[in-house]
Amino acid sequence: MADTPALTLHSYWRSSAAYRVRIALALKGLPYRQVTWHMVKGEHQQPAYRSLAPFGLVPMLEIDGLRLQQSLAIIEYLDERHPGAPLLPADPALRAQARALAQLIACEMHPLNNLRALKRLRAQFGADDEQIQDWYRHWCAEGFQAFEAALPAAQDGGYALGDAPTLVECYLIPQVYNALRYGADLAPFERVRALVQACAGLPAFEAARPENQPDAPQSAAA
Ligand SMILES: N[C@@H](CCC(=O)N[C@@H](CS)C(=O)NCC(=O)O)C(=O)O
């Protein structure tokens, strides 16, 4: 049926890019089936996955046979097909701001801290755990500083762009999850912390949490 397509999310519990899409799907109330590719075991690089998702990156969303890669393209597609609970504001200037904030995370922060970049630091330059953590935290601090500077003035509704979460929170919350895993200090980022607080406990964000995914190890269960 056109209005209720069969959705399959190719995912990994700890993938922050998949986490963005899980939040968007949950905010839209769209049910989906999940297929797991174990990233730490490198399953996402194997031909079985690459034949479906040539970028070899998680997530990929299948919608009635259409295969979409790149979280921003996926989320915008979902928003256009399912306009209820909009993830982009109606106003063009605010839409551009929402995309800019999401892309600040997706294009300027996340790639520098992605699994393959960290692996390369180890393999090519012999970086140890402490150096990797330091690298990770450096880019988080720089990124969150820019993010806060780019945020519009605090909104009465408590979210980045008004009284409901949008694309911005879909990107911010997973990036904060990653940052905390690597011991980043969020104390200087009051507005980031306020947005995390605003989303904490919302059912969509709770459902999308890595620890609540079917492929999360028992030891990580929330
Ligand atoms: N820009 C892509 C990023 C996708 C991406 O890098 N996903 C990560 C997981 S969060 C991945 O597959 N990493 C594989 C690797 O680094 O080897 C998106 O937004 O979907």
Side-chain angles (χ1 to χ4, degrees), residues 106-137:
C107 307
E108 316 305 336
M109 295 177 76
H110 179 261
L112 287 160
N113 290 347
N114 207 351
L115 181 62
R116 59 187 171 159
L118 303 185
K119 275 183 161 173
R120 191 74 193 173
L121 288 175
R122 281 184 206 279
Q124 189 170 352
F125 303 110
D128 60 24
D129 285 350
E130 202 178 317
Q131 288 168 320
I132 295 277
Q133 292 221 341
D134 192 51
W135 167 274
Y136 203 108
R137 291 192 289 246

Side-chain angles (χ1 to χ4, degrees), residues 14-18 20 39 44-45 56-59 69-72 106 110 114-117 171:
R14 256 192 175 158
S15 157
S16 63
R20 301 166 186 160
M39 275 176 39
H44 60 298
Q45 292 162 339
L57 298 171
V58 173
Q69 297 173 84
Q70 292 292 338
S71 59
L72 194 59
H110 179 261
N114 207 351
L115 181 62
R116 59 187 171 159
Y171 278 72

Side-chain angles (χ1 to χ4, degrees), residues 119-198:
K119 275 183 161 173
R120 191 74 193 173
L121 288 175
R122 281 184 206 279
Q124 189 170 352
F125 303 110
D128 60 24
D129 285 350
E130 202 178 317
Q131 288 168 320
I132 295 277
Q133 292 221 341
D134 192 51
W135 167 274
Y136 203 108
R137 291 192 289 246
H138 169 81
W139 295 114
C140 283
E142 193 170 296
F144 288 140
Q145 200 173 1
F147 179 90
E148 288 206 337
L151 267 177
Q155 305 287 306
D156 287 346
Y159 297 96
L161 301 179
D163 58 6
T166 61
L167 192 65
V168 179
E169 283 80 11
C170 291
Y171 278 72
L172 178 65
I173 300 305
Q175 193 63 34
V176 166
Y177 171 85
N178 270 358
L180 293 175
R181 272 184 67 207
Y182 281 81
D185 180 14
L186 294 186
F189 307 114
E190 193 181 340
R191 294 206 54 205
V192 166
R193 286 187 286 109
L195 291 173
V196 170
Q197 192 58 38

Side-chain angles (χ1 to χ4, degrees), residues 11-14 22 34 36-37 210 213-217:
S11 183
Y12 177 62
W13 70 287
R14 256 192 175 158
R22 293 196 301 259
Q34 180 181 303
T36 294
W37 301 89
Q213 303 317 302
D215 56 328

